[in-house]
């Protein structure tokens, strides 16, 4: 009898406990939201396409950005990274973005100059003495104007990433004097200022996608090209070139872009996560870019497969002199402020 009573009491307690457990799990405020459990359709997917390898400043930053966004959004926002131009090749990725087939890209600034030609200011030869000067320029009035230009064209510029300074490579001879360029053909990025730079040196140019450079060199379709140490090494360009001039003559950096229409329809909370993540990644990326270019230069020195010449002060002065007419033409077309606001010129005013 006592035994039965005890059993009934025990079953009642058990029922009470399980009912309250079931009730509490139905309360919306108690439901833990695990975005990993959300179906693919419910997640926000951002396809980030780029054209360089994974072991490059841009490639590594894109990956880091994706994992930060995943972490901060608890899996609700998924950034899928497609490197090496697998999805969209160089020259086609902006189209892909505007068609909303991909939602994020990070083209070199030279490649957005057909939309906002003023960005060519960054391609002016010997415009910057250091990466710090580039940052100063872009963080000032000119930077705001350039960013606004992109918004006007329907883009949302989320961030700016560095690669570094470009160096000259070629197959034929050491490039030390302006006249050494005469008659050689170089692959260039699509920027009018870059084309003019070689034109002033009496060299020919052709604009090709980055992923074609190695083959063009291999088949002797071009004599040379200009790029950063990390891009040269990651695409093994040096194995097809005899000479490298460490000239640091031009800047190569990226604008991280979304289509404005896509950005505007994202929930505010998601926009905040993307902005916080890009800020964190950008600080890291800049340091990574500096380190990777240093390491790549060391690799080039160690391989002993390419003859490296470091441009002397006097040689640099001659190159600058030869390239001066480009500045006047740029000023005539876009106004003096782009030149006057260069940190090296601002310093001279004081
Ligand atoms: C190039 O085309 O040389 C560069 O834009 C490649 C890159 O994106 O770094």
């Amino acid at each position: 009898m006592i035994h039965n009573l005890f059993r009934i009491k025990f079953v009642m307690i058990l029922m009470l406990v399980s009912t309250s457990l079931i009730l509490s799990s139905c309360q919306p405020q108690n439901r833990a939201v695990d975005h990993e459990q959300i179906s693919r359709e419910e997640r926000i997917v951002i396809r980030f396409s780029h054209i360089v390898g994974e072991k490059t400043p841009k490639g590594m930053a894109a990956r880091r950005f994706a994992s930060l966004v995943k972490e901060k959004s608890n899996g609700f926002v998924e950034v899928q990274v497609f490197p090496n131009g697998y999805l969209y090749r160089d020259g086609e990725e902006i189209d892909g973005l505007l068609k909303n087939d991909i939602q994020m890209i990070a083209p070199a600034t030279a490649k957005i100059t057909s939309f906002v030609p003023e960005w060519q200011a960054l391609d002016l030869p010997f415009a910057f003495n250091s990466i710090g000067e580039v940052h100063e320029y872009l963080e000032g009035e000119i930077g705001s104007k350039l960013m606004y230009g992109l918004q006007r064209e329907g883009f949302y510029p989320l961030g700016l990433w560095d690669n570094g300074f470009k160096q000259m490579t070629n197959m034929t001879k050491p490039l030390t004097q302006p006249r050494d360029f005469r008659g050689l053909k170089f692959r260039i990025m699509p920027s009018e200022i870059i084309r003019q730079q070689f034109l002033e040196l009496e060299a020919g140019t052709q604009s090709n996608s980055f992923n074609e450079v190695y083959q063009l060199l291999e088949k002797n379709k071009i004599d040379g090209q200009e790029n950063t140490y990390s891009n040269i090494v990651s695409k093994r360009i040096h194995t097809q070139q005899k000479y490298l001039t460490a000239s640091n003559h031009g800047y190569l950096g990226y604008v991280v872009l979304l289509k404005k229409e896509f950005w505007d329809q994202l929930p505010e909370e998601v926009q905040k996560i993307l902005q916080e993540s890009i800020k964190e990644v950008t600080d890291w990326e800049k340091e990574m870019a500096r380190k990777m270019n240093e390491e790549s230069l060391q690799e080039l020195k160690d391989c002993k497969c390419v003859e490296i010449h470091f441009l002397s002060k006097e040689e640099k002065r001659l190159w600058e002199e030869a390239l001066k007419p480009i500045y006047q033409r740029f000023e005539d077309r876009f106004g003096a402020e782009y030149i006057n606001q260069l940190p090296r010129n601002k310093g001279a005013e004081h």
Side-chain angles (χ1 to χ4, degrees):
M1 177 76 178
I2 292 178
H3 187 70
N4 262 353
L5 263 178
F6 185 76
R7 249 179 54 193
I8 290 167
K9 215 171 156 188
F10 179 75
V11 170
M12 277 175 70
I13 290 172
L14 207 70
M15 278 170 68
L16 260 172
V17 170
S18 43
T19 314
S20 68
L21 267 177
I22 289 167
L23 278 176
S24 74
S25 72
C26 288
Q27 306 277 322
Q29 68 266 32
N30 288 341
R31 201 190 302 150
V33 181
D34 182 354
H35 287 120
E36 293 284 4
Q37 305 310 318
I38 288 174
S39 75
R40 231 178 165 59
E41 292 73 48
E42 286 173 289
R43 285 189 216 169
I44 292 180
V45 174
I46 295 177
R47 304 205 313 164
F48 186 165
S49 173
H50 68 80
I51 58 152
V52 292
E54 304 237 52
K55 272 186 80 186
T56 57
K58 177 160 60 181
M60 289 176 73
R63 281 248 164 266
R64 196 174 174 96
F65 177 77
S67 68
L68 258 180
V69 170
K70 182 177 177 186
E71 187 188 306
K72 284 183 193 284
S73 70
N74 198 15
F76 180 55
V77 186
E78 186 187 350
V79 178
Q80 300 173 348
V81 182
F82 300 90
N84 276 313
Y86 289 145
L87 214 50
Y88 275 93
R89 286 166 11 145
D90 194 8
E92 295 170 354
E93 55 180 11
I94 298 185
D95 244 28
L97 185 86
L98 294 176
K99 280 198 312 221
N100 200 29
D101 191 37
I102 46 178
Q103 290 72 36
M104 210 164 157
I105 55 176
T109 58
K111 293 175 187 170
I112 48 163
T113 57
S114 57
F115 289 88
V116 187
E118 289 85 347
W119 275 89
Q120 287 176 67
L122 294 187
D123 297 325
L124 285 164
F126 300 108
F128 305 99
N129 290 314
S130 66
I131 295 289
E133 284 194 3
V134 181
H135 297 164
E136 190 185 328
Y137 189 62
L138 287 172
E139 280 156 18
E141 256 172 68
I142 296 292
S144 311
K145 265 185 113 150
L146 294 176
M147 293 300 211
Y148 175 71
L150 285 170
Q151 299 217 20
R152 205 185 46 216
E153 292 298 314
F155 297 104
Y156 182 81
L158 185 63
L160 291 164
W161 288 348
D162 280 338
N163 188 317
F165 283 112
K166 291 179 289 182
Q167 323 297 339
M168 296 285 188
T169 70
N170 91 105
M171 195 58 195
T172 318
K173 54 181 152 180
L175 302 171
T176 59
Q177 309 291 315
R179 63 171 177 272
D180 297 330
F181 284 82
R182 213 171 280 164
L184 300 179
K185 195 192 258 179
F186 288 81
R187 174 268 171 175
I188 57 165
M189 291 189 281
S191 158
E192 178 54 21
I193 288 292
I194 300 180
R195 197 181 70 84
Q196 285 185 28
Q197 168 190 281
F198 286 101
L199 216 63
E200 286 301 329
L201 300 170
E202 295 177 59
T205 59
Q206 61 183 60
S207 168
N208 296 98
S209 110
F210 179 57
N211 309 82
E212 287 173 305
V213 179
Y214 182 91
Q215 279 182 5
L216 289 168
L217 291 170
E218 190 181 36
K219 292 183 181 149
N220 296 320
K221 295 262 172 28
I222 49 172
D223 302 292
Q225 61 87 52
E226 49 161 30
N227 226 312
T228 59
Y229 293 123
S230 69
N231 273 349
I232 291 170
V233 169
S234 77
K235 286 286 173 218
R236 308 202 49 71
I237 289 172
H238 58 295
T239 63
Q240 297 299 326
Q241 301 276 262
K242 268 204 183 118
Y243 305 98
L244 185 150
T245 305
S247 48
N248 292 314
H249 63 278
Y251 172 73
L252 172 63
Y254 311 110
V255 203
V256 184
L257 286 179
L258 288 89
K259 187 180 176 182
K260 189 161 183 312
E261 214 176 285
F262 174 78
W263 173 264
D264 287 343
Q265 52 86 45
L266 287 173
E268 221 170 276
E269 189 194 341
V270 171
Q271 292 180 341
K272 223 174 123 211
I273 288 174
L274 297 180
Q275 275 163 337
E276 278 170 17
S277 307
I278 200 82
K279 195 175 174 309
E280 265 180 68
V281 171
T282 299
D283 293 342
W284 177 87
E285 192 275 345
K286 288 183 169 162
E287 182 52 23
M288 176 59 53
R290 192 192 57 74
K291 259 175 69 187
M292 285 190 101
N293 277 304
E294 250 176 45
E295 283 165 15
S296 298
L297 170 59
Q298 192 55 49
E299 203 172 322
L300 291 168
K301 284 179 181 166
D302 293 345
C303 84
K304 302 203 185 333
C305 51
V306 61
E307 198 179 302
I308 304 176
H309 173 76
F310 289 86
L311 207 63
S312 73
K313 261 197 179 142
E314 178 51 17
E315 287 161 352
K316 182 179 167 197
R317 199 189 59 74
L318 292 174
W319 286 36
E320 283 185 301
E321 197 57 34
L323 296 167
K324 229 176 177 169
I326 301 175
Y327 278 76
Q328 192 54 54
R329 284 201 292 273
F330 186 91
E331 193 175 315
D332 293 345
R333 182 162 173 213
F334 300 111
E337 60 182 328
Y338 290 94
I339 316 277
N340 294 342
Q341 292 290 318
L342 288 170
R344 63 167 203 205
N345 292 339
K346 275 167 77 179
E349 277 167 17
H350 301 145

